[in-house]
Amino acid sequence: MKTSTASGTTTSDLVPAGPPLHGPGHGTGSEGRRPRRGIRRHLPYSPWLFAAPGLLVVGAFSLYPFLSTLVNAFTDRRTLVPGEFVGLANFRELLDDEMFWIGLRNSSLYVLGVVPALVILPLLLAMLVQRQIPGITFFRSAFYTPVVASIVVVGLIWVWMLDDRGLVNSVLEAVGVGRVGFLSDQWLLLLSAMGVTVWKGLGYYMIIYLAALANVPRELHEAAAVDGAGPVRRFFTVTVPAVRSTMVLVGALSSVAAFKVFSEVYLMAGPSGGPAGEDTTLVMLVQRVGTGLSGRVGYASAISVVVFVVTVALMLLVLRADRKEDA
Amino acid sequence: MRINRRAVAAAAVIAVVLPLSACGGSEAGSSDASGKVAGKITFQTWNLQANFKDYFNGLIADFEKQHPGTDVKWVDRPAEGYADKISADAAGGTLPDVVNVSPDLVAPLAKAGLALDLDKAAPQYKKEYLPGAWDAHRVPGAEGTYAFPWYLNTGPLFYNKRLLKDAGLDPEKPPTTYDEVFDAGLTMARQSKGKVAALANVPTIEDFGRYGVPLMNEDGTAFSFNDPKGVELLTRYKELYDAKALDPQALTATPESSGHKFLTESVAMNPGSALDLANFKKQAPSLYKNIGITDQITSTGKANMYVMGVMVNARSKQKPAAVAFAHFVTDATRQMEFAKQVAIFPSTAGSLDDPYFTEEDGTDETRVRVAAAKSLKTAVNYTPVLFSEQMKTELRNAVARALQGKQSPEEALDNAVKACDRLLRQS
């Protein structure tokens, strides 16, 4: 049973979260009786007891691995050999590791290439499928299909399509353009992977925008139309300000996901990370150096720490930009 | 609520210190495998359950019948990520008692004291196997043999007769030396204006070995594939790449993807094994009609072979049963039975002299089988056991840099050797 306290908050009968419901001298019924001393002594701990299962799971599967990675980054631990403390040696080695800089470059390029597309294109798509016309549900579902498809299947399909002798190249050859090395040229490969990420993410962010667009008051559009604003002007003066916080959210989510990209590039560029490893991303590098029987767990952890710091910085940057706009 | 700061501090210390304590030391288990063959053991195979379930269930039943009191639990792991699964088990102390391994997987496990030294624990079985196969699981820098040799594999070079004919080459006279392969490749690329490539793979470490390049020094402490012969091989491959005689996607290809290119007849030659023949027949009947089979290309006179092994966990609690079972799986009778189910070759002494491996019946299958069995008598596993996955990537990237012209073949191989030596020191 829930009751309202004097402060207006809602609390359970047994949790003394606010002023006593019945102070001394107020009422004589059983409701007014104070909890027994033994129970009362344990009351402050009871929320933690309820939270304990959740905390255990979070501790074991999130906090512990995270702390473990942090510690490993300062050791020379390998898969089968427990590490010794080496201070900042792993981070110093990173500075001289050409592959680390290639990974950092590619992960950063991925953010720059993918995030603007994933902020803008799903919004346009959402506006398109927002209209209530017959059969629109089909299109909404169709656009969402790539989201539910397995990334491995998606990757393989695009590899077949973009192969030197695949569908896309056959069409290009038929129209006289000639074959394009989507999967053999370093930059085209990265661009192709970005295209797949955008294609797969469109539906997901479209759904988020659809929810945001549903909350934009129709009157604003009507008023703007009465004032003579055309569709483009209404988009910039009504729609964009109304969904700005959603755009920030999409920007933050997609930039973190883009910086940590693995599957698309791994599937399209192969385990070696494209020609001469030039398409390797940071997370691919973590997987390459940190796994297997000879894996350098300590060094891979140091790269993971860099990935963590950059993703946190990205989040803060996007959120700070949003706060500045608000001010 | 007030939180006990000391409790929080203790929890933080445990969280920080615990990872360091994980994995334990690399203390080796005892090599003593004498005693009663009894108890429950786990046997792990590498992607064999789908096709050989009945064979292994029968084998396990036979062993349990021969050794009352034993109980073998069979687990099979997918091919993808097999090394990662073993490393997770090894690090977590849950490595099965008997494990299907390849020599490059054995090396780090032996170094960590997790693979049983069979020279000490089971020397009586050594004479049952081909000497080269028994030595395949030795690790440079360590004494001992760390796995029973199991099945061997090698294979011919498959080629597409139609594509050779279209290029004006004689399909009945396929290339037999590296020079002939390169020359045929350049001709095919020229005739087809770059549309048909001869090969779909960049050279791997075993290609360098078959070309006659010394791969490591005798002590196994440094790599040497950057010698002039290695540079020569890479220079020839660059000629192929520039002429489009090497598939444009070779730089990112995997053995599976290049096999697919051969299946779809966009590449003329592909090294394979006796296993592939049935695959061609089933998946690409039009290719099968044009399939040509010739000996593996080698400059050393010795073909490359792949070796599979069965390792015993040095920390197994049922070592006598584990050793007995590993030997049972790999003994001459069982290997012969297995070889008759699938196109592999036994590593036991004398097995390759069986008429099954010496007499042809006129079919392509027996022709490949007999030729492969003959070549196995002198074949070599060219991949050094200390050559890890990361080293393979280093070599692959160096080869790609040379083929793209970003570095000279000499510079690329020097860098690859430097990187592999560094990884060797860190392993």
Side-chain angles (χ1 to χ4, degrees):
Chain A
M1 180 184 151
K2 299 219 172 177
T3 37
S4 285
T5 63
S7 61
T9 55
T10 305
T11 182
S12 160
D13 286 346
L14 287 175
V15 182
L21 295 175
H22 304 283
H26 293 265
T28 52
S30 61
E31 276 186 331
R33 223 180 288 149
R34 286 184 170 201
R36 275 179 296 154
R37 190 182 163 82
I39 295 175
R40 207 175 51 185
R41 205 179 64 214
H42 292 293
L43 284 178
Y45 297 101
S46 53
W48 289 100
L49 285 176
F50 284 110
L55 285 174
L56 273 176
V57 172
V58 170
F61 297 107
S62 296
L63 199 60
Y64 173 76
F66 175 72
L67 290 172
S68 173
T69 304
L70 269 185
V71 173
N72 283 333
F74 297 95
T75 70
D76 61 354
R77 183 172 177 182
R78 279 157 285 150
T79 304
L80 300 178
V81 184
E84 284 176 16
F85 181 75
V86 293
L88 293 171
N90 286 329
F91 294 94
R92 274 197 297 271
E93 191 179 334
L94 277 182
L95 297 178
D96 295 328
D97 185 348
E98 189 194 1
M99 209 36 96
F100 168 73
W101 292 109
I102 288 174
L104 187 62
R105 177 197 71 195
N106 290 336
S107 295
S108 307
L109 282 176
Y110 222 83
V111 173
L112 292 176
V114 161
V115 174
L118 280 179
V119 170
I120 295 161
L121 294 180
L123 175 58
L124 300 178
L125 201 62
M127 288 172 65
L128 207 66
V129 299
Q130 187 196 18
R131 293 155 201 268
Q132 292 301 329
I133 54 168
I136 197 67
T137 320
F138 167 76
F139 287 101
R140 284 180 191 168
S141 309
F143 289 129
Y144 195 74
T145 310
V147 180
V148 289
S150 151
I151 183 64
V152 178
V153 174
V154 167
L156 288 176
I157 289 172
W158 279 97
V159 164
W160 291 331
M161 299 236 286
L162 298 173
D163 187 272
D164 194 45
R165 286 161 201 279
L167 180 69
V168 176
N169 265 320
S170 300
V171 172
L172 289 176
E173 197 171 29
V175 298
V177 176
R179 291 173 196 268
V180 178
F182 293 109
L183 302 179
S184 51
D185 178 81
Q186 169 195 344
W187 299 113
L188 282 177
L189 217 162
L190 201 63
L191 269 176
S192 303
M194 285 179 191
V196 174
T197 302
V198 171
W199 178 79
K200 190 164 169 27
L202 275 181
Y204 177 73
Y205 295 115
M206 177 193 80
I207 295 289
I208 295 178
Y209 278 126
L210 271 175
L213 286 172
N215 291 325
V216 181
R218 186 188 288 258
E219 297 78 32
L220 289 178
H221 279 284
E222 287 169 356
V226 168
D227 287 344
V232 175
R233 195 174 174 87
R234 284 209 304 274
F235 172 73
F236 283 109
T237 55
V238 178
T239 309
V240 170
V243 298
R244 196 174 54 82
S245 53
T246 307
M247 290 172 85
V248 171
L249 172 74
V250 169
L253 291 176
S254 58
S255 56
V256 169
F259 194 76
K260 294 197 297 182
V261 67
F262 174 81
S263 307
E264 292 92 322
V265 185
Y266 186 87
L267 287 164
M268 299 181 80
S272 58
E278 288 285 352
D279 293 304
T280 304
T281 64
L282 278 184
V283 178
M284 282 174 77
L285 193 59
V286 171
Q287 185 266 348
R288 191 184 304 159
V289 301
T291 58
L293 285 159
S294 310
R296 297 181 64 204
V297 179
Y299 190 60
S301 299
I303 306 172
S304 302
V305 169
V306 173
V307 174
F308 170 73
V309 170
V310 175
T311 45
V312 168
L314 268 174
M315 286 287 278
L316 291 177
L317 210 70
V318 175
L319 296 174
R320 198 184 170 89
D322 184 39
R323 227 177 287 149
K324 262 190 187 169
E325 288 275 326
D326 282 340
Chain B
M1 176 189 155
R2 272 172 54 195
I3 299 170
N4 187 333
R5 284 184 188 174
R6 263 183 294 181
V8 172
V13 168
I14 289 168
V16 169
V17 172
L18 215 56
L20 281 176
S21 65
C23 212
S26 57
E27 192 186 317
S30 155
S31 286
D32 185 17
S34 58
K36 190 168 185 280
V37 175
K40 188 173 179 177
I41 55 168
T42 306
F43 168 48
Q44 179 175 299
T45 51
W46 191 343
N47 197 29
L48 293 173
Q49 196 160 43
N51 296 321
F52 309 107
K53 199 173 179 177
D54 293 341
Y55 169 76
F56 283 102
N57 281 333
L59 182 147
I60 289 167
D62 287 347
F63 178 78
E64 288 173 345
K65 201 174 160 188
Q66 251 185 45
H67 300 279
T70 54
D71 180 8
V72 181
K73 185 188 166 198
W74 176 33
V75 289
D76 187 67
R77 302 285 177 206
E80 191 70 25
Y82 188 75
D84 292 336
K85 174 68 188 143
I86 287 191
S87 61
D89 280 340
T94 54
L95 199 64
D97 303 277
V98 180
V99 191
N100 178 187
V101 285
S102 55
D104 58 318
L105 293 181
V106 164
L109 292 168
K111 278 187 170 183
L114 291 169
L116 191 70
D117 179 0
L118 299 177
D119 279 341
K120 284 184 186 155
Q124 69 275 27
Y125 298 129
K126 183 178 176 178
K127 59 183 181 300
E128 293 180 21
Y129 301 89
L130 294 171
W134 183 263
D135 289 343
H137 296 96
R138 291 191 184 282
V139 180
E143 281 185 15
T145 295
Y146 293 93
F148 283 103
W150 197 9
Y151 57 89
L152 310 173
N153 216 337
T154 187
L157 178 76
F158 291 109
Y159 65 97
N160 188 318
K161 287 181 180 175
R162 182 180 64 81
L163 294 179
L164 255 69
K165 198 175 166 191
D166 290 350
L169 298 165
D170 184 351
E172 301 310 321
K173 284 186 184 166
T176 56
T177 63
Y178 271 101
D179 279 340
E180 286 176 14
V181 169
F182 295 136
D183 291 344
L186 294 172
T187 307
M188 293 176 82
R190 198 170 48 243
Q191 295 291 336
S192 67
K193 294 192 174 126
K195 282 187 181 168
V196 175
L199 297 167
N201 260 329
V202 295
T204 57
I205 193 74
E206 60 256 35
D207 290 310
F208 279 85
R210 276 188 304 165
Y211 195 70
V213 180
L215 303 177
M216 279 192 104
N217 65 12
E218 283 187 5
D219 308 332
T221 53
F223 290 95
S224 57
F225 52 81
N226 57 338
D227 93 330
K229 202 124 181 75
V231 175
E232 183 185 296
L233 177 71
L234 195 47
T235 308
R236 293 302 312 264
Y237 262 93
K238 177 152 172 54
E239 277 174 48
L240 287 186
Y241 185 74
D242 290 344
K244 295 193 175 169
L246 197 61
D247 186 75
Q249 280 166 227
L251 303 189
T252 53
T254 58
E256 293 77 27
S257 64
S258 54
H260 183 74
K261 296 248 170 185
F262 185 70
L263 274 182
T264 54
E265 301 192 62
S266 56
V267 164
M269 300 178 209
N270 197 43
S273 74
L275 289 165
D276 292 318
L277 213 52
N279 194 30
F280 296 152
K281 206 184 248 183
K282 192 175 160 191
Q283 290 194 30
S286 61
L287 167 71
Y288 188 72
K289 268 187 248 161
N290 290 312
I291 203 79
I293 305 164
T294 186
D295 287 344
Q296 198 179 101
I297 307 293
T298 168
S299 300
T300 60
K302 293 175 181 176
N304 181 53
M305 74 169 172
Y306 299 96
V307 189
M308 261 311 153
V310 175
M311 185 201 96
V312 174
N313 181 353
R315 294 183 187 164
S316 166
K317 287 179 182 154
Q318 309 292 348
K319 242 174 262 172
V323 170
F325 183 73
H327 171 250
F328 188 80
V329 172
T330 60
D331 72 10
T333 314
R334 253 53 61 173
Q335 287 212 42
M336 201 62 205
E337 275 174 21
F338 197 30
K340 285 184 178 171
Q341 296 217 2
V342 62
I344 50 100
F345 301 89
S347 62
T348 38
S351 297
L352 292 174
D353 296 327
D354 187 284
Y356 185 73
F357 296 110
T358 55
E359 290 174 11
E360 285 188 35
D361 64 4
T363 60
D364 284 341
E365 281 85 353
T366 53
R367 191 153 70 85
V368 173
R369 185 165 67 221
V370 169
K374 195 177 160 195
S375 72
L376 273 173
K377 289 183 177 168
T378 54
V380 175
N381 175 21
Y382 285 109
T383 308
V385 294
L386 296 172
F387 204 66
S388 67
E389 283 302 317
Q390 282 183 55
M391 294 174 192
K392 284 178 193 167
T393 304
E394 290 290 349
L395 175 60
R396 192 182 176 79
N397 288 348
V399 166
R401 277 192 286 270
L403 297 186
Q404 289 174 314
K406 290 179 177 173
Q407 287 175 354
S408 69
E410 194 173 9
E411 192 184 359
L413 287 181
D414 284 347
N415 288 339
V417 164
K418 218 180 283 174
C420 291
D421 282 346
R422 183 172 46 79
L423 288 168
L424 188 65
R425 283 193 298 275
Q426 287 167 344
S427 67

